[in-house]
Structure formats: structure tokens, C-alpha cells
């Protein structure tokens, strides 16, 4: 095991000295994923939260149409009927309606063959994806607080600095992000995975501590890499799970393109097969964000806590702040407790009470609290 993993890393290290660009391509390859990356760049930069992209689940950049949210049902049906029309007129394409011709052209432009079987598959795989242009733009602004320190943490662990941008896919750098599956924080740890690396209980949830969660993410990703031997699989395992990716590797090999195209598992679905491509697209968009979003004023790192400090049980020192900006305010939501809010923002309940002149810990929905 040691030789199998150390030799590729040695080669990458040697190449890094000779040509950083070559080493980067070796560690985070994109060959064979160009169409997927292009699709996710569109999702991040062209289509907003009211846009529903109607496309193919497998050939994701095969886009049939775009509909307004709430009106996409009729267009999905129209696409399916168009595919049926193409299938029924394989030998007489000139008789197709203009909409069916538009769909046929899109299929051919994506290199998909026009056969009875392929068209049946295309009909079964009509899929929708909502645009997140606004969310990604906001994520770029928020990322200013974290990216530099996250990259320092990753580089110290021997992880490519670009992988510190993975929160663009997970949370858009929103530390208060909670998923329907119970994942939380910038790195979207589930409770089960979080407990392997962090304190997650009724009193404390370190998934919401950016510094500790980033150190935990670095450990998890490094363990994925050591088990799987390359970063595309290690990154995909962040979504799909290490055990699942080991099974995929054993069945179809270590090439991410082969895993995406050939690995058949009910649990390896749309999200897992696209995770690495989403990440590469996010890196590219972030690296050129002014081209897509214009001039942005990125948030600056907080001076209250040192994000690069290693996890420690020592209480954080209290720092006096004279004023609070809009970003330092939090509107209380139904069900919030003062203890939970304090944990989210890395302060004590007493600090919150003192800052907001609270006589007790009773709060109510809609209340505005100064949190920093």
C-alpha cells in the first residue's frame, strides 16, 4: 500500500518542481470532463434561481430548453413529446416540427447517436437543474473571509490549495447552511461523519466552527486520498463516501471518467457523478469571477478569531469590537436558542447577552442580534 501511494505522489512532487502547470493537471485532471464542466459553469454563471434547465441526466450539457420556475412542467412534457417525435421519424427527419428539430440538433451537437434505443434512454433521462447564479456570486463575496486561511491549512496537510474551494459546491461558504440531510456548516458535515473528527452533541457543534471544520475536512480528504490514490476519487468520496468509492474503484478502476460512465450503483446518482466536475467548474469560475460577475467587493477575514489556528479546547480570548456592520447582525429564526446562535458565530452566550443588553437568554423570532 505504501509503495502504491507514495510513488505517484513522488512523481507529482518532482514534476511540480519542473512545471507547476503540469503537476496541477496531473493532480486535478479535467480531460474527458469538459462537457460536464461547461454545464456547471452555465449553472453557476448564466442561469439564476428562477431558471429551470431541462437537460439530460447523463449527458448533462445536452440542454433541451430552459423554463421559468413553476412553468417547467409543460416544457418537460414538450421535450418528451419532441423526443418521441424524433424516435417515430428516424427515417424522415425533414417531417419534424421546428421544436423537435431544435431538440434533434441539440442531441447531435452533443455527439449522441440517433437510434431507437438511444432516444428511449434520452426520454427516460430527462432531468431538471435549477440555476444558482445568485448563490454562487454571493459565495464568491463570502469566500473572501475564508479562502486564504483555508488554503494555508490544506497546503500544510499536503493537499492541493485549489481543493480548499470545495465549499463553493457544498455551501457557497455559508457557515449557517443546513441541508435536508442534516449536514451543517461550510463543509457540510453530516452528524455521523462530523463526530469522527469533531465534537457534535447537544451542547456543542463544531461543524459550525470554520477553523475546526476546515482542519476536519483536510483530515477527511487526506484519508480519502490515502485510501483511493488520486484526488478526483478522493473529492468524489467527500460526497459519495469512501467505502462507496473503494467499491467503484475495485469494479471499474481509478479513472474518474470510467467511474462516471461505467460504475453502476443505485447510490451513485446524479449528485455523486457530477461532484468532481462541479468542483472543477467552481475553481474555474472563482478564478475568473470578474469575467462572469463584474467587480465584486469580497468580504475580509474576521479579526476576531484566527482561522488558521489548529483545533484546541482552550477557550477563545474575548476581543472587544467597537462597531458592528450589517454582516455582524443576525435575525432570529423560529426555534433558535441563544446557545445555538452563540455556537454558530463562535461566541459565548454571555458575550451575546452583554453585546445585546439582554437580561436573560429569552429571544424571539424576528429579533435582530449583534453577533460579533
Amino acid at each position: 500500500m505504501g509503495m502504491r501511494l507514495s510513488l505517484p505522489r513522488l512523481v507529482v512532487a518532482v514534476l511540480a518542481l519542473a512545471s507547476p502547470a503540469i503537476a496541477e493537471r496531473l493532480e486535478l485532471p479535467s480531460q474527458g470532463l469538459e462537457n460536464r464542466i461547461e454545464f456547471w459553469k452555465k449553472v453557476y454563471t448564466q442561469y439564476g434561481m428562477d431558471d429551470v434547465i431541462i437537460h439530460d441526466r447523463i449527458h448533462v450539457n445536452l440542454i433541451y430548453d430552459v423554463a421559468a420556475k413553476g412553468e417547467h412542467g409543460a416544457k418537460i412534457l414538450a421535450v418528451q413529446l419532441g423526443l418521441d417525435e424524433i424516435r417515430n421519424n428516424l427515417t424522415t427527419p425533414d417531417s419534424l416540427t421546428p421544436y423537435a428539430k431544435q431538440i434533434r440538433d441539440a442531441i447531435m451537437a452533443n455527439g449522441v447517436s440517433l437510434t431507437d434505443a438511444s432516444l428511449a434512454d434520452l426520454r427516460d433521462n430527462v432531468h431538471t437543474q435549477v440555476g444558482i447564479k445568485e448563490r454562487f456570486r454571493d459565495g464568491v463575496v463570502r469566500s473572501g473571509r475564508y479562502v486564504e486561511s483555508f488554503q494555508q491549512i490544506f497546503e500544510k496537510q499536503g493537499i492541493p490549495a485549489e481543493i480548499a474551494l470545495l465549499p463553493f459546491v457544498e455551501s457557497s461558504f455559508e457557515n449557517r447552511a443546513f441541508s435536508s440531510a442534516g449536514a451543517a456548516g461550510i463543509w457540510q458535515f453530516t452528524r455521523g461523519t462530523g463526530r469522527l473528527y469533531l465534537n457534535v452533541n447537544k451542547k456543542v457543534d463544531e461543524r459550525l466552527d470554520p477553523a475546526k471544520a476546515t482542519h476536519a475536512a483536510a483530515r477527511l480528504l487526506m484519508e480519502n486520498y490515502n485510501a483511493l490514490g488520486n484526488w478526483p476519487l478522493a473529492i468524489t468520496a467527500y460526497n459519495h463516501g469512501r467505502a462507496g468509492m473503494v467499491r467503484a474503484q475495485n469494479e471499474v478502476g481509478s479513472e474518474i471518467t470510467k467511474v462516471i460512465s461505467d460504475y453502476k450503483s443505485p447510490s451513485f446518482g446524479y449528485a455523486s457523478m457530477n461532484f468532481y466536475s462541479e468542483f472543477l467548474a467552481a475553481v474555474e469560475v472563482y478564478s475568473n469571477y470578474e469575467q462572469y460577475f463584474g467587480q465584486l467587493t469580497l468580504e475580509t477575514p474576521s479579526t476576531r478569531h484566527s482561522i488558521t489556528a489548529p483545533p484546541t479546547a482552550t477557550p477563545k480570548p474575548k476581543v472587544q469590537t467597537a462597531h458592528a456592520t450589517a454582516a455582524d447582525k443576525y435575525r432570529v429564526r423560529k426555534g433558535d436558542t441563544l446557545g445555538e446562535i452563540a455556537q454558530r458565530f463562535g461566541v459565548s452566550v454571555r458575550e451575546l447577552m452583554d453585546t445585546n443588553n439582554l437580561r436573560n437568554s429569552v429571544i424571539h423570532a424576528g429579533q435582530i442580534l449583534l453577533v460579533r
Side-chain angles (χ1 to χ4, degrees), residues 83-84 86-88 90 113-122:
L83 289 167
D84 289 340
I86 297 168
R87 188 179 177 188
N88 293 330
L90 280 173
S113 61
L114 289 170
T115 65
D116 188 79
S118 67
L119 286 162
D121 287 341
L122 290 175

Side-chain angles (χ1 to χ4, degrees), residues 18-36:
S19 173
I22 293 176
E24 180 180 330
R25 286 198 296 272
L26 283 173
E27 289 204 311
L28 298 171
S30 60
Q31 187 174 2
L33 299 171
E34 293 84 358
N35 283 339
R36 288 184 181 275

